[in-house]
């Protein structure tokens, strides 16, 4: 390889950095032919001086290397680090205190389900529509084998599991979006929650009337989806009209005006998805800027939905029902990816008063409660995770949203822990279970000190340190 040098008269703006020139010089010397390497030191010194020489304020003399030499050097340069993927912003309220609402047509088993789920009689179960007017609320413990194991290990005086806040909402009917059947009031209750348990009736019972006259889960699901979309369309059209009124005088030079135009474009895309594409908002792929706009709209179809199919006790135990394949097909076609959980309110009501021994006997026949699975699915649908604090006084699960950083996770316990955050001592549940004790985890080097950038992982066990 040979070195080609050309001296050019350039303006000061064309100045080549000294560090870049030195790198090219070193690279050339390391790849030069033996004849060059064997030159006297003075010759090599003079070669190393080839570079940038300032002649005056008006011009710069530059030694440039041949393109073949530069290309060869580039091949030897370390590759650039790949840009970190942008973290996806979650749909929904940025909060750890999220709620899930029980939604469906009247007389599908919503209030009865709420009562067995919460082990209360707060829900007004009756054989006529609109028995429930005002929503009822209960906190449901979320089952977790990890929490039970930690309690067995530490034997604490106090045990506090994670909870899911569940709301019993009155039944919606066709025309609810226009106010039929107190629909506006009930839809406002749906808007106040962060996720939906949609109860679908798939059992026949002549003693339990159906508001539509007969049992047809597909029709019922279509009614609920239509009413939620129609209400979203009404809200979005009203919001878009207001944005356009205030946006008539926008110009393209201001950053604030540019942001307002982007907001209008996002709201128009939301309206198009609802009206033209016939899609729920949560099923559209939004970028992070668009998610911020969508979250501000608090739309009904942006909320995650878990479909709960209420079967007869017989059908649930034998795991067979004529409607189940059709319901699964409807979900795959209209809202692919949404979870479907079969259960039986009648069975849950029968199992609830039984002792643990009696429930174990019932389980041998296939009569197993689905409430734990339902609660866990609802918790996960809201993108909630938990971390633990453990000791002889208390073992407690703290609910946070997926993606929460360490300071904000500490702030769930007390705001001072976030404001004066120093670090967290973190170990994973799996490591503690493997090594058997905190001292063994520490001896194995598995106890980590994590700072402010650390993103919490589901099942972390944390001890926080904060300043005075």
């Amino acid at each position: 390889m040979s070195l080609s040098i050309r001296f050019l008269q350039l303006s000061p703006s064309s100045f080549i950095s000294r560090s870049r020139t030195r790198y090219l010089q070193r690279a050339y010397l390391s790849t030069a032919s033996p004849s060059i390497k064997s030159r006297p030191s003075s010759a090599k010194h003079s070669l190393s001086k080839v570079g940038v020489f300032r002649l005056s304020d008006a011009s710069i003399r530059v030694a440039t290397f041949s393109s073949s030499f530069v290309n060869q050097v580039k091949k030897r340069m370390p590759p650039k680090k790949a840009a970190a993927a942008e973290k996806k912003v979650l749909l929904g309220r940025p909060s750890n205190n999220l709620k899930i609402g029980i939604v469906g047509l009247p007389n599908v088993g919503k209030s009865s389900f709420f009562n067995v789920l919460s082990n209360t009689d707060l829900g007004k179960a009756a054989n006529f529509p609109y028995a429930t007017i005002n929503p009822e609320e209960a906190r449901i413990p979320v089952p977790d084998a990890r929490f039970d194991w930690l309690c067995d290990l530490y034997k604490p005086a106090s045990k506090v599991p994670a909870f899911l806040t569940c709301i019993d909402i009155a039944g919606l009917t066709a025309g609810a979006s226009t106010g039929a059947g107190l629909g506006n009031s009930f839809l406002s209750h749906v808007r106040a929650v962060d996720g939906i348990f949609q109860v679908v009736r798939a059992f026949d019972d002549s003693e339990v009337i159906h508001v539509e006259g007969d049992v047809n889960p597909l029709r019922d699901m279509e009614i609920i989806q239509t009413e939620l979309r129609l209400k979203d369309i009404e809200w979005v059209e009203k919001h878009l009209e207001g944005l356009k009124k205030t946006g008539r005088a926008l110009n393209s030079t201001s950053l604030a005006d540019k942001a307002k135009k982007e907001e209008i474009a996002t709201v128009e895309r939301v309206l198009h998805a609802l009206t033209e594409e016939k899609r729920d908002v949560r099923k559209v792929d939004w970028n992070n800027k668009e998610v911020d706009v969508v979250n501000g709209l608090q739309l009904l179809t942006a909320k995650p939905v878990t479909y709960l199919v209420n079967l007869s006790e017989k059908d649930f135990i034998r795991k067979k029902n004529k409607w189940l394949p059709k319901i699964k097909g409807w979900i795959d076609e209209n809202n692919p990816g949404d979870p479907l959980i079969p259960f039986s309110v009648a069975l849950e009501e029968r199992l609830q008063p039984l002792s643990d021994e009696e429930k174990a006997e019932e389980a041998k026949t296939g009569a197993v409660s689905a409430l734990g699975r339902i609660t866990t699915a609802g918790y996960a649908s809201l993108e909630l995770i938990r971390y633990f604090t453990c000791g002889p006084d208390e073992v407690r699960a703290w609910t946070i949203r997926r993606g929460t950083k360490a300071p904000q996770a500490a702030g769930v316990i007390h705001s001072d822990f976030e404001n004066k955050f120093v670090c967290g001592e973190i170990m994973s549940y799996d490591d503690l279970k493997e090594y058997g004790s905190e001292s063994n985890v520490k001896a194995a080097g598995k106890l980590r000190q994590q700072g402010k950038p650390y993103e919490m992982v589901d099942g972390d066990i944390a001890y926080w340190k904060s300043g005075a």
Side-chain angles (χ1 to χ4, degrees):
M1 179 182 67
S2 62
L3 177 66
S4 169
I5 301 176
R6 302 190 304 275
F7 288 94
L8 305 173
Q9 293 288 339
L10 302 174
S11 65
S13 62
S14 303
F15 182 75
I16 298 177
S17 69
R18 291 182 184 276
S19 60
R20 178 67 174 167
T21 304
R22 292 192 188 103
Y23 177 79
L24 292 170
Q25 292 165 352
R26 288 196 300 271
Y28 170 75
L29 289 173
S30 66
T31 59
S33 64
S35 61
I36 295 178
K37 290 184 178 179
S38 61
R39 290 182 183 180
S41 59
S42 59
K44 283 192 278 188
H45 178 72
S46 63
L47 179 63
S48 67
K49 291 295 184 182
V50 174
V52 180
F53 301 91
R54 183 176 292 279
L55 299 180
S56 68
D57 291 339
S59 66
I60 298 174
R61 179 161 287 184
V62 183
T64 62
F65 300 96
S66 67
S67 60
S68 61
F69 173 73
V70 173
N71 290 337
Q72 184 168 343
V73 171
K74 284 183 177 179
K75 291 179 182 178
R76 298 176 55 226
M77 293 178 67
K80 293 182 179 180
K81 292 183 178 179
E86 186 179 23
K87 183 180 175 182
K88 189 73 173 176
V89 177
L90 300 176
L91 279 175
R93 288 191 302 129
S95 172
N96 303 316
N97 299 313
L98 303 181
K99 302 176 180 180
I100 195 162
I102 303 173
V103 174
L105 267 63
N107 292 3
V108 297
K110 299 185 306 302
S111 294
S112 298
F113 165 63
F114 175 81
N115 286 341
V116 293
L117 185 66
S118 61
N119 197 18
T120 67
D121 60 354
L122 293 174
K124 304 299 186 292
N127 190 20
F128 54 86
Y130 313 122
T132 300
I133 300 297
N134 297 318
E136 299 289 348
E137 179 176 326
R139 296 175 73 231
I140 316 300
V142 182
D144 190 342
R146 300 171 301 180
F147 177 78
D148 297 336
W149 187 88
L150 291 171
C151 290
D152 290 339
L153 177 66
Y154 287 92
K155 296 178 172 53
S158 174
K159 305 174 184 179
V160 185
F163 288 92
L164 175 68
T165 302
C166 193
I167 311 293
D168 181 24
I169 298 174
L172 301 176
T173 57
S177 59
T178 59
L182 299 178
N184 286 328
S185 175
F186 297 160
L187 286 170
S188 70
H189 298 156
V190 179
R191 195 179 192 189
V193 300
D194 304 282
I196 293 172
F197 279 147
Q198 184 170 332
V199 180
V200 181
R201 176 176 171 178
F203 67 90
D204 292 310
D205 189 338
S206 58
E207 295 183 0
V208 180
I209 64 173
H210 194 291
V211 70
E212 293 294 327
D214 62 337
V215 175
N216 186 336
L218 304 186
R219 177 204 56 214
D220 297 351
M221 296 164 74
E222 196 72 43
I223 288 173
I224 295 296
Q225 178 171 263
T226 299
E227 295 306 318
L228 297 184
R229 283 184 185 171
L230 287 175
K231 199 62 182 181
D232 275 355
I233 291 171
E234 178 187 329
W235 285 334
V236 171
E237 287 178 338
K238 185 176 181 180
H239 185 73
L240 184 60
E241 183 182 353
L243 286 176
K244 288 183 174 179
K245 282 182 179 179
T246 59
R248 288 172 181 167
L250 296 179
N251 60 67
S252 58
T253 58
S254 166
L255 290 177
D257 287 354
K258 184 179 179 182
K260 182 65 70 174
K261 288 181 178 179
E262 290 177 351
E263 181 182 359
I264 292 173
T266 300
V267 176
E268 287 177 336
R269 188 184 172 203
V270 171
L271 186 60
H272 183 269
L274 290 168
T275 56
E276 302 299 326
E277 300 176 16
K278 307 294 183 183
R279 298 169 68 191
D280 284 355
V281 172
R282 69 183 181 281
K283 296 303 177 182
V284 180
D285 186 21
W286 308 102
N287 63 38
N288 286 350
K289 284 186 177 180
E290 291 171 331
V291 168
D292 290 336
V293 176
V294 174
N295 285 344
L297 296 173
Q298 297 182 356
L299 299 175
L300 302 175
T301 61
K303 304 178 189 298
V305 177
T306 302
Y307 292 93
L308 307 179
V309 182
N310 187 8
L311 307 173
S312 67
E313 180 176 339
K314 179 182 177 181
D315 284 353
F316 179 78
I317 292 175
R318 67 176 184 164
K319 296 179 172 57
K320 188 175 182 180
N321 178 276
K322 65 179 181 180
W323 290 107
L324 277 177
K326 298 177 182 179
I327 293 172
K328 180 65 167 60
W330 187 94
I331 294 172
D332 290 343
E333 180 181 350
N334 293 273
N335 292 308
D338 285 353
L340 163 65
I341 302 178
F343 79 114
S344 172
V345 169
L347 174 63
E348 301 295 347
E349 289 177 329
R350 187 170 68 81
L351 292 177
Q352 190 173 56
L354 301 182
S355 65
D356 291 341
E357 293 77 11
E358 290 171 326
K359 288 179 181 178
E361 287 298 319
E362 290 287 344
K364 295 177 182 179
T365 65
V368 179
S369 174
L371 296 182
R373 181 185 174 195
I374 291 172
T375 306
T376 301
Y379 191 83
S381 73
L382 297 174
E383 299 287 351
L384 297 176
I385 62 173
R386 73 212 84 178
Y387 74 89
F388 304 102
T389 53
C390 303
D393 293 331
E394 181 182 74
V395 170
R396 183 163 185 160
W398 299 92
T399 293
I400 55 176
R401 209 155 189 227
R402 191 178 304 279
T404 300
K405 302 290 186 180
Q408 289 70 45
V412 174
I413 300 176
H414 196 285
S415 58
D416 283 352
F417 287 174
E418 179 179 356
N419 298 333
K420 302 176 182 179
F421 181 86
V422 174
C423 70
E425 290 186 346
I426 309 289
M427 58 181 164
S428 72
Y429 166 81
D430 290 336
D431 287 337
L432 180 59
K433 189 171 184 179
E434 179 182 352
Y435 292 100
S437 69
E438 291 183 17
S439 58
N440 291 342
V441 171
K442 190 172 183 178
K446 299 293 185 178
L447 183 66
R448 317 179 307 275
Q449 280 202 346
Q450 301 289 1
K452 293 181 178 180
Y454 178 70
E455 184 176 303
M456 298 297 290
V457 177
D458 187 35
D460 276 346
I461 298 167
Y463 300 90
W464 304 117
K465 293 182 178 181
S466 61

